[in-house]
Amino acid sequence: NDDHYAAFNSVHNTETSEPHRPSLVIALESADHVSKGLLINTKVQTYIECFQCGKLRCIYSERTLISDERQEFGLIENEMNYTCDSLLVSEDHILYNKLFVREKITCELPIELAYYSSISHRQGLKQLCYWCGVDGSFADPQENLVAKYKFIFSYCIWCLKNGKNYFCQVEIKTNKKKEVEVTMFNLTIGRKKCKIRSLVLICKK
Ligand SMILES: [Zn+2]
Ligand SMILES: [Zn+2]
């Protein structure tokens, strides 16, 4: 993308003070205070809207919020202007080490996949356009994609006009490059015996 290149180029050719040198900036960015294992769909506790792009971003936490924390989060939601690419709260806030957002997400980036996988077990959440985050005016996915992929993410007519493509995941059909291994195993839940089928995709190079 041209903007990004221009930004990098201007930084690269300018004498800057120590903290702004690209290599240092990269090092600081990777020193994220969120552990990677936390940023997964099962740890999504709630959501917050970005003040700039309007997209909902996931809030991750190790455990469900207690009522005080929910109240505190309500204040963050209503009184602070959260934007992508920033911390949810400052380091001295009581929720700093409890609630996390993906810090390296920018307004240009699509809705997090964790959002989609978390809405299945949460009520009142809407389907959102994967690219821009609007909650309606979705385009119909092409039939051939429906047959081919397990997950096709919602996608609005404006993004379609702007040349975005459907974002799909998990190919259903097998082809020469991929093999599907099906494992059946039994699982006992309570007194019920269930047969579980697990699919493993193997990619051959
Ligand atoms: Zn944003
Ligand atoms: Zn859209």
Side-chain angles (χ1 to χ4, degrees), residues 145-153 167-173 178 180 199-201:
L145 292 179
V146 177
K148 200 172 173 193
Y149 292 95
K150 203 171 165 194
F151 304 107
I152 300 171
F153 295 85
F167 180 72
C168 310
Q169 270 208 337
V170 190
E171 221 172 309
I172 295 170
K173 282 181 190 168
K178 283 177 184 170
V180 176
L199 290 180
V200 183
L201 280 181

Side-chain angles (χ1 to χ4, degrees), residues 50 53 84 107:
C50 168
C53 68
C84 302
C107 290

Side-chain angles (χ1 to χ4, degrees), residues 49-60:
E49 192 178 317
C50 168
F51 175 65
Q52 276 181 352
C53 68
K55 286 177 192 139
L56 279 187
R57 297 308 191 189
C58 297
I59 305 275
Y60 303 84

Side-chain angles (χ1 to χ4, degrees), residues 174-183 199-205:
T174 55
N175 59 30
K176 278 173 197 163
K177 282 183 186 165
K178 283 177 184 170
E179 250 179 32
V180 176
E181 200 175 79
V182 182
T183 326
L199 290 180
V200 183
L201 280 181
I202 302 164
C203 299
K204 283 184 181 170
K205 280 186 183 172

